[in-house]
């Protein structure tokens, strides 16, 4: 009788696309690069003497198609409606290579780096295909992402860097910094001010402001009392503080009175910031529409009230960080962009 196989069955492979349903759609951009080393065929390729025709023109078309079909080539890649693609095949005479760039942009919940890389690879393979009849000893190399933008991480640059010409052409955009701007953080919570639980939202706001270059002390803890908060906001404005971020007291509970405190201190209201927060946050949760997040100017000081949870504060800073520098500039008398 044959021996029974007692080995456990191999686990079934399980694949799934990343779940981006709760991510916020933002402007996304990525640029990838790669090179073909054509050897002795360099002149034939650049001067359009290859037997199959103009390799560079065809490679640029193929790269466009490659970027658009990335999700067909990579099963777990999200299909995205791309809003912009640019393919460039640049001869580099001093190194006798063809350098290929693919820039892709869209507005989506996930990035477009795979589309940019797919475009570069499709263009390089087309250059290879059209060049190999005269020189089969070809080499592809240096394929990498130059940079990507968008999402909560903002700008990412490849550690190998970029040339001055690449920076000038693509102009990668980082979040505008708050270098040296004086800022304050105030947590509004009866329970946290009594020591019933540890405040996590305030310290997170402090860290995010410092990451942007702002000059700020540790978060202040205060109970949910409108009049004392309004007085403190006026005090900070008199001292020249440029930005105050409050966390807590923006819900519908009977003690949630932070917007009322801002109204007591306000010289002018900045309604659009609260509207922006609710609209963008609703991509994470429909409960965002219940938030009373608000913003006002007390003299030239911008005061913004955010919800009290660390998660909402992190999402709020992702939403607001791109506009804070310009908002402070305008509040100080600067012009529109």
């Amino acid at each position: 009788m044959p021996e029974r196989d007692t080995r456990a069955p191999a686990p079934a492979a399980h694949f799934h696309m990343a779940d981006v349903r709760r991510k916020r759609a933002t402007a996304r951009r990525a640029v990838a690069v790669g090179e073909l080393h054509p050897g002795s065929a360099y002149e034939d390729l650049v001067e359009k003497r290859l037997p199959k025709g103009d390799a560079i023109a065809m490679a640029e078309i193929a790269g466009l198609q490659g970027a658009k079909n990335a999700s067909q080539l990579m099963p777990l890649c999200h299909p995205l409606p791309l809003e912009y693609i640019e393919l460039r095949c640049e001869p580099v005479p001093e190194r006798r290579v063809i350098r290929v760039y693919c820039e892709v942009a869209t507005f989506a919940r996930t990035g477009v780096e795979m589309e940019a890389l797919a475009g570069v690879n499709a263009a390089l393979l087309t250059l290879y295909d059209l060049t190999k009849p005269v020189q089969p000893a070809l080499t592809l190399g240096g394929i990498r992402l130059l940079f990507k933008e968008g999402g909560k991480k903002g700008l990412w640059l490849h550690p190998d860097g970029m040339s001055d010409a690449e920076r000038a052409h693509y102009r990668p955009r980082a979040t505008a910094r708050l270098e040296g701007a004086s800022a304050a953080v105030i947590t509004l919570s009866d329970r946290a001010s009594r020591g019933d639980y540890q405040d996590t939202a305030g310290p997170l706001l402090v860290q995010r402001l410092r990451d942007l270059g702002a000059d700020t002390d540790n978060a202040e803890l205060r109970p949910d009392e409108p009049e004392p908060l309004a007085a403190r906001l006026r005090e900070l404005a008199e001292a020249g503080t440029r930005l105050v971020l409050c966390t807590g007291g923006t819900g519908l509970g009977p003690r949630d009175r932070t917007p009322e405190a801002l109204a007591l201190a306000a010289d002018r209201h900045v309604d659009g910031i609260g509207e922006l927060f609710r609209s963008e946050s609703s991509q994470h949760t429909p409960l965002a529409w219940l938030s009373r997040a608000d913003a006002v100017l007390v003299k030239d000081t911008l005061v913004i009230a955010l919800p009290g949870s660390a998660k909402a504060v992190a999402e709020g800073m992702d939403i607001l960080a791109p506009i804070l520098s310009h908002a402070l500039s305008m509040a100080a008398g600067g012009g529109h962009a």
Side-chain angles (χ1 to χ4, degrees), residues 291-310:
S291 170
R292 297 195 301 137
D294 197 8
V296 300
L297 284 169
V298 182
K299 297 185 67 175
D300 296 334
T301 299
L302 178 61
V303 182
I304 302 175
L306 295 171
S309 76

Side-chain angles (χ1 to χ4, degrees), residues 55-284:
I56 287 179
M58 183 57 67
E60 290 179 347
I61 295 171
L64 295 172
Q65 288 295 96
K68 289 191 289 185
N69 286 287
S71 64
Q72 299 297 314
L73 301 170
M74 291 163 279
L76 304 185
C77 186
H78 292 81
L80 297 175
L82 303 183
E83 297 178 355
Y84 179 76
I85 310 172
E86 181 194 58
L87 240 297
R88 294 194 301 136
C89 295
E90 299 286 331
V92 185
E94 60 272 20
R95 295 175 47 228
R96 297 176 63 81
V97 301
I98 307 299
R99 194 161 171 85
V100 176
Y101 296 93
C102 182
E103 176 184 7
V104 181
T106 194
F107 191 86
R109 298 177 189 271
T110 189
V112 287
E113 54 266 38
M114 298 312 299
E115 285 75 10
L117 288 163
V120 164
N121 278 281
L124 287 173
L125 288 172
T126 299
L127 288 173
Y128 193 112
D129 179 47
L130 273 64
T131 307
K132 64 181 171 59
V134 300
Q135 173 54 277
L138 302 169
T139 302
L140 306 179
I143 300 168
R144 63 183 174 95
L145 196 65
L146 274 182
F147 69 88
K148 62 177 180 176
E149 296 170 350
K152 66 180 182 180
K153 294 182 180 177
L155 175 65
W156 178 88
L157 298 168
H158 194 284
D160 286 352
M162 302 170 63
S163 70
D164 291 342
E166 289 167 342
R167 281 187 176 276
H169 185 88
Y170 292 111
R171 302 175 65 85
R173 295 179 289 271
T175 298
R177 293 180 60 75
L178 304 176
E179 214 64 60
S182 57
V185 172
I186 302 176
T187 297
L188 286 308
S189 170
D190 290 334
R191 291 186 301 134
S193 65
R194 292 195 304 262
D196 294 347
Y197 76 93
Q198 185 175 2
D199 172 36
T200 57
L204 176 58
L205 272 180
V206 168
Q207 188 56 55
R208 291 293 295 268
L209 285 171
R210 288 174 178 168
D211 290 345
L212 289 172
D215 180 12
T216 183
D217 294 328
N218 292 332
E220 301 180 20
L221 265 175
R222 291 179 167 269
D224 290 303
E225 297 289 350
E227 289 80 7
L229 174 57
R232 179 58 177 152
L233 294 177
R234 294 191 198 101
E235 184 180 292
L236 288 167
E238 288 290 341
T241 304
R242 298 189 60 197
L243 174 65
V244 181
L245 297 182
C246 300
T247 170
T250 61
L252 303 182
R255 293 284 292 168
D256 290 332
R257 304 291 301 280
T258 301
E260 285 69 29
L262 268 61
L264 287 174
D267 292 305
R268 289 178 287 165
H269 288 264
V270 190
D271 297 330
I273 288 180
E275 293 165 7
L276 172 67
F277 174 82
R278 281 181 285 278
S279 176
E280 294 293 301
S281 296
S282 69
Q283 297 185 50
H284 298 294

